[in-house]
Amino acid sequence: MSRRREEKLAERADRLAEEQAFRAAAPGGSGVEKPGRKRKAKAVEDVGAHLAPDAVPTGAPAPSDRNGRAAGAGKSGKAAKSGKEKAPGRTKELFVPHRGWYGVGGGRVGYMDPPTMWRATTVQACGMWPFAAGSGSPMTGVPLGQHLFTGATVCGDPLNWFTRARYISNPSLFMLGMPGLGKSTLVNRMLIGLAATGVVPLVLGDLKPDYADTVRALGGQVISIGRGRGGINVLDPGAMGAAAAKIGGEAGEVLKAEAHGRVLNMVAALVTIVRGRPMDDHEQSVLSAVLHHLRERTPQGRTVLLPDVLRVLTEGPPRVRAVTLDRGDDARYRDAVDPLHRSLLGILDGPLGDTFASETSTRIDPNAPAVCIDISGIGEADTQLTAAAMLAAWSDGLGTVAASHALADAGLAPRRWFFTVLDELWRPLRAASGIVDRIDALTRLNRSLGLGDAKITHTLKDAEALGTDADRAKARGFVERAGMVVCAGLPRTEMEDLGKVVGLSRREIELVSSWSSPPGWGVNGDNEEPPGRGRFLIKVGGRPGIPIKVAITDAERHLHNTNTRWTPNEDAVEQAAARAAQQVALAAQEGVLPGGPGGPGTEAAGRWTA
């Protein structure tokens, strides 16, 4: 129905209500309609005669009939002749339509403002439950925001949708969107909500950092890695070694073997980063023999370091020589171990510095409510150290997860679930191919690990920038295997490519593409935001997408500010202003500035202020 049609129907309804009020206001009126113009004139006379005295404006002429006589004058004369006066009827209030009087100057409005909508939980508004209308949006999981069209609350996260709601078959989330539209903010809200339910958030390699302040506010552990900040001993079994000793028996020996394999893979990954190519098979055998030799001969309570590996390679014990097939020839032994020896020296004295040469600065606390490994101190151009730190952080963090589940299986600790966050996915993917393999394994095995994950990047084209075809194929599979796909503002071409993988409708493509538009030219620049900031589309399988709008709280805004380098430092500004004031005052005293003692312009000293 058109807007003009609605206005006409509303006007007709108001006129009908006015006529009914006039008929009801007439004394003795029974509501029976009389034909012709007499009915209207009679209604006007009756209403005018029985208006309250204060309803007639001061100075307004009295209502008159068609012959110009005052209303009721004829009746008064007849009453005087007969000596009787008719008792006045009951005074009735004038009916005012809720949209105002129809006609010029009547104050009529076409539409009324909608009532204010309030939102409350069933505990706060228990007297109003059950509500008249329900919501079709999912209500299981962390509260994310409001439905963009219905205003209903939308809740969700990978773990609750996998364990409780059974909406998805894989507890993983993949998020895409242009920079500055709130991707990290939405994942940060999931992190806070899951931590409140007992899930342990793990940010294994915070590159900006975006989550360190949130983890501190949750009472968690923040570990810094970088040159001069802290390091990780990649030969330390960490939580897995402690759990194996606590469990003991056959299960403990199995966990020790798993810890040995993780250490071996981690050292091999570091060698691959330094060389630019994988290790040879016989070198891995040599390295494994060296690690076994060190475990057997290292005193209890002391951990093995990379310099110890170099010392064993130099000594050449029989167990290590046996896997090199040297047959007692020192030259054959040196030919077999020298390439590995040079690569390990490159780890200790090369671009990786001393980050992996000493004891672990801070071990991950298995009982911490949240853990963040901050590698933001590593420079943007230092790709090798970034890749090595990411690999070491993931190895240590996933080892902690495996140790926690092993203790729970043995009945020595409660079962805990974990939620990992991998933000700025494009950086670790380009840093080293080992990261791609590790993330690929995580997306396939996270159900068995008791681990949910969230991966955040900008576009699907980030996968196309990888070095090899194998890595590109693995990265493309991240989106296909994700249980939840969340889209922020993206260009139309990117949405069409994503639609081939996820299955987006034309309306969904147009909606998300509109969120990538920048603000208008006429904004004042104070607090203007892009039109797509805080708007997301949640896709699960072939279901229609759920568009939501997220409004963050002041606490979230304070803890998760991704533009800290663009935020003025108020303390520094105040200090600079104080220093400027001191310099101006000192210059004025020395007579350099007008207003100084003995200087020109002393009479204008009051105009110089800091």
Side-chain angles (χ1 to χ4, degrees), residues 333-542:
Y333 174 75
R334 293 303 170 190
D335 291 339
V337 301
D338 280 351
L340 177 60
H341 200 153
R342 284 192 294 268
S343 297
L344 293 176
L345 286 174
I347 294 175
L348 297 177
D349 301 327
L352 304 186
D354 58 349
T355 306
F356 307 101
S358 58
E359 295 279 356
T360 300
S361 56
T362 305
R363 286 189 175 185
I364 295 179
D365 182 6
N367 299 318
V371 177
C372 174
I373 299 182
D374 180 10
I375 62 174
S376 60
I378 303 175
E380 295 284 340
D382 204 344
T383 57
Q384 287 188 334
L385 183 56
T386 300
M390 289 286 294
L391 285 171
W394 275 83
S395 179
D396 199 10
L398 295 183
T400 303
V401 173
S404 175
H405 289 311
L407 291 173
D409 293 338
L412 301 177
R415 180 74 65 189
R416 305 177 79 190
W417 293 341
F418 299 86
F419 178 63
T420 63
V421 177
L422 184 56
D423 205 344
E424 300 294 338
L425 182 65
W426 62 274
R427 280 192 63 187
L429 288 182
R430 298 179 187 179
S433 59
I435 291 286
V436 181
D437 295 330
R438 193 169 294 274
I439 298 173
D440 181 65
L442 178 64
T443 59
R444 301 174 188 271
L445 303 175
N446 50 3
R447 289 183 302 161
S448 60
L449 295 175
L451 183 71
D453 68 276
K455 296 176 285 294
I456 309 172
T457 189
H458 297 140
T459 67
L460 289 177
K461 295 182 177 61
D462 293 335
E464 302 300 328
L466 300 182
T468 64
D469 294 336
D471 287 347
R472 286 192 288 269
K474 295 172 186 176
R476 284 192 294 266
F478 296 162
V479 184
E480 298 173 354
R481 290 189 296 273
M484 298 172 59
V485 177
V486 181
C487 304
L490 286 169
R492 180 179 295 274
T493 56
E494 183 69 22
M495 289 300 298
E496 292 176 351
D497 293 339
L498 182 62
K500 299 175 183 178
V501 180
V502 179
L504 298 169
S505 66
R506 179 57 53 185
R507 174 56 182 155
E508 291 172 343
I509 292 176
E510 294 176 354
L511 178 64
V512 178
S513 300
S514 66
W515 296 341
S516 62
S517 302
W521 293 110
V523 298
N524 54 22
D526 293 336
N527 294 309
E528 301 294 340
E529 295 183 349
R533 179 171 295 176
R535 288 171 169 79
F536 304 92
L537 180 71
I538 303 176
K539 288 290 293 185
V540 175

Side-chain angles (χ1 to χ4, degrees), residues 69-113:
R69 295 178 299 173
K75 294 182 179 181
S76 299
K78 293 180 181 179
K81 290 182 180 180
S82 61
K84 298 180 181 180
E85 185 176 355
K86 188 175 182 180
R90 185 178 57 182
T91 302
K92 294 189 177 182
E93 297 180 356
L94 183 64
F95 173 78
V96 180
H98 63 281
R99 293 179 183 269
W101 292 100
Y102 177 74
V104 179
R108 177 172 178 76
V109 294
Y111 288 91
M112 298 186 67
D113 293 334

Side-chain angles (χ1 to χ4, degrees), residues 136-149 152-162 165 167-168 170 172-177 182-183 186-187 189-190 479 482-490 495 498 502-505 507-509 511-513 515 532 534-550:
S137 302
M139 297 292 292
T140 303
V142 178
L144 301 180
Q146 290 181 287
H147 196 286
L148 194 60
F149 301 138
T153 300
V154 178
C155 303
D157 60 81
L159 272 75
N160 283 290
W161 280 17
F162 173 74
Y167 293 151
I168 57 179
N170 188 13
S172 62
L173 178 147
F174 198 94
M175 182 176 292
L176 301 97
K183 301 185 300 298
L186 180 62
V187 173
R189 171 167 292 187
M190 292 185 184
V479 184
M484 298 172 59
V485 177
V486 181
C487 304
L490 286 169
M495 289 300 298
L498 182 62
V502 179
L504 298 169
S505 66
R507 174 56 182 155
E508 291 172 343
I509 292 176
L511 178 64
V512 178
S513 300
W515 296 341
R535 288 171 169 79
F536 304 92
L537 180 71
I538 303 176
K539 288 290 293 185
V540 175
R543 295 186 178 95
I546 305 173
I548 65 172
K549 177 176 175 55
V550 179

Side-chain angles (χ1 to χ4, degrees), residues 19-272:
E19 293 177 359
Q20 292 177 353
F22 290 151
R23 292 197 300 273
S30 60
V32 179
E33 296 184 1
K34 296 181 180 181
R37 298 171 59 185
K38 295 182 179 180
R39 182 189 62 181
K40 183 176 181 181
K42 183 67 167 58
V44 173
E45 292 176 2
D46 292 341
V47 173
H50 294 280
L51 281 174
D54 56 352
V56 180
T58 304
S64 60
D65 58 10
R66 295 170 56 186
N67 298 325
R69 295 178 299 173
K75 294 182 179 181
S76 299
K78 293 180 181 179
K81 290 182 180 180
S82 61
K84 298 180 181 180
E85 185 176 355
K86 188 175 182 180
R90 185 178 57 182
T91 302
K92 294 189 177 182
E93 297 180 356
L94 183 64
F95 173 78
V96 180
H98 63 281
R99 293 179 183 269
W101 292 100
Y102 177 74
V104 179
R108 177 172 178 76
V109 294
Y111 288 91
M112 298 186 67
D113 293 334
T116 303
M117 182 178 67
W118 300 91
R119 185 178 300 275
T121 65
T122 55
V123 176
Q124 297 168 328
C126 54
M128 300 179 65
W129 182 266
F131 299 121
S135 170
S137 302
M139 297 292 292
T140 303
V142 178
L144 301 180
Q146 290 181 287
H147 196 286
L148 194 60
F149 301 138
T150 65
T153 300
V154 178
C155 303
D157 60 81
L159 272 75
N160 283 290
W161 280 17
F162 173 74
T163 58
R164 296 171 55 196
R166 304 290 182 180
Y167 293 151
I168 57 179
S169 59
N170 188 13
S172 62
L173 178 147
F174 198 94
M175 182 176 292
L176 301 97
M178 300 297 290
L181 296 182
K183 301 185 300 298
S184 302
T185 303
L186 180 62
V187 173
N188 189 69
R189 171 167 292 187
M190 292 185 184
L191 186 148
I192 296 173
L194 288 172
T197 62
V199 177
V200 182
L202 298 176
V203 187
L204 304 177
D206 197 352
L207 292 160
K208 288 187 177 179
D210 284 341
Y211 305 93
D213 291 339
T214 300
V215 170
R216 290 192 186 95
L218 294 173
Q221 182 184 27
V222 178
I223 303 173
S224 298
I225 297 178
R227 294 189 179 92
R229 295 173 176 264
I232 293 180
N233 178 18
V234 295
L235 303 183
D236 186 358
M240 293 188 71
K246 187 175 182 179
I247 294 173
E250 183 179 355
E253 293 299 323
V254 171
L255 198 59
K256 285 182 180 179
E258 176 65 22
H260 173 80
R262 285 182 178 272
V263 170
L264 179 62
N265 292 333
M266 187 60 228
V267 178
L270 293 181
V271 172
T272 301

